[in-house]
Amino acid sequence: MSGIKKGLFFISFFVIGSLLVLSFYTENRQEQKSNQDLADPAASEAGKSAHRIHIHYIGPQSASAASETEKQTAYSSMSGPGKKIPLGSGHYFLYGFDKKPKLGIVIMKVEVFTREGKKDTSFQIKADADMPSMRGAHGTGDRPFTLSKKGDYLLPVDIVMPGDWEIRLTLVKEGKVIFRGSYAFNV
């Protein structure tokens, strides 16, 4: 009988001791967490959000807003390289490449002319090269052309993989967008 009492005593002692240790550990952990939140709430929030999955619902209003933004930045399809493209009633421009676009760097050249045929270097020109089938994967973002001594606008374009490519061209004069156009080609 005394052996059973000793066994029950040790089991009870072990269970009560484990509960006390567990309780102390839980309280201590919560206290550390609240101290951490007070010390750096931004890091604490960042840590919480790192483990969350964010699901954003794009409703009809968001979709229409996105399409409205897309309309505002719509690019018309440009005729091929070397052909005159009108810029309002007083100007036109020509564009082309130093060689047929292929893997590697090609130089895109744009020349802006007045209606009388004189070069006009008062424009700011930028372009974004990207692959439409992988939009954003290889996009360069809008990069400005540099103006050569001859009055040509030049931009190196790095073609990094074969496939479909598109160059979106934007011409700006006195801070106002005059033209947006795109040229699509395959490499």
Side-chain angles (χ1 to χ4, degrees):
M1 201 59 176
S2 68
I4 294 175
K5 283 184 179 177
K6 281 184 182 178
L8 288 174
F9 173 75
F10 283 116
I11 290 172
S12 300
F13 179 76
F14 178 75
V15 169
I16 292 170
S18 296
L19 290 174
L20 287 173
V21 170
L22 182 63
S23 171
F24 174 75
Y25 174 77
T26 304
E27 283 180 27
N28 195 18
R29 184 77 179 140
Q30 287 176 344
E31 188 176 318
Q32 285 177 349
K33 183 74 175 155
S34 66
N35 287 341
Q36 185 181 15
D37 289 351
L38 290 173
D40 191 1
S44 173
E45 190 58 36
K48 288 177 186 175
S49 65
H51 299 289
R52 292 183 192 153
I53 296 173
H54 296 275
I55 299 173
H56 298 279
Y57 170 71
I58 299 176
Q61 287 183 325
S62 299
S64 68
S67 68
E68 191 63 34
T69 302
E70 195 67 31
K71 284 179 188 174
Q72 291 173 354
T73 57
Y75 291 81
S76 62
S77 179
M78 297 189 300
S79 54
K83 298 185 178 174
K84 286 184 181 180
I85 299 174
L87 282 176
S89 59
H91 292 81
Y92 68 91
F93 73 95
L94 302 170
Y95 75 95
F97 301 93
D98 66 331
K99 58 189 172 194
K100 183 179 177 183
K102 60 182 182 179
L103 287 179
I105 294 177
V106 295
I107 306 295
M108 185 172 187
K109 178 173 128 181
V110 176
E111 297 173 280
V112 181
F113 298 94
T114 62
R115 188 171 42 186
E116 293 79 28
K118 292 184 178 181
K119 279 193 176 178
D120 187 340
T121 59
S122 65
F123 287 78
Q124 291 84 44
I125 304 177
K126 55 188 176 180
D128 174 26
D130 200 358
M131 298 185 76
S133 61
M134 304 171 63
R135 184 75 62 199
H138 302 293
T140 60
D142 276 335
R143 295 179 43 217
F145 281 69
T146 55
L147 195 59
S148 74
K149 290 180 182 177
K150 293 180 177 180
D152 300 334
Y153 294 90
L154 304 173
L155 179 70
V157 178
D158 192 7
I159 307 295
V160 296
M161 70 177 288
D164 60 326
W165 281 86
E166 178 183 45
I167 295 180
R168 292 179 168 182
L169 199 62
T170 303
L171 280 80
V172 177
K173 186 172 178 77
E174 297 170 355
K176 184 178 176 184
V177 174
I178 304 297
F179 177 85
R180 284 194 171 109
S182 67
Y183 172 64
F185 57 96
N186 283 310
V187 173

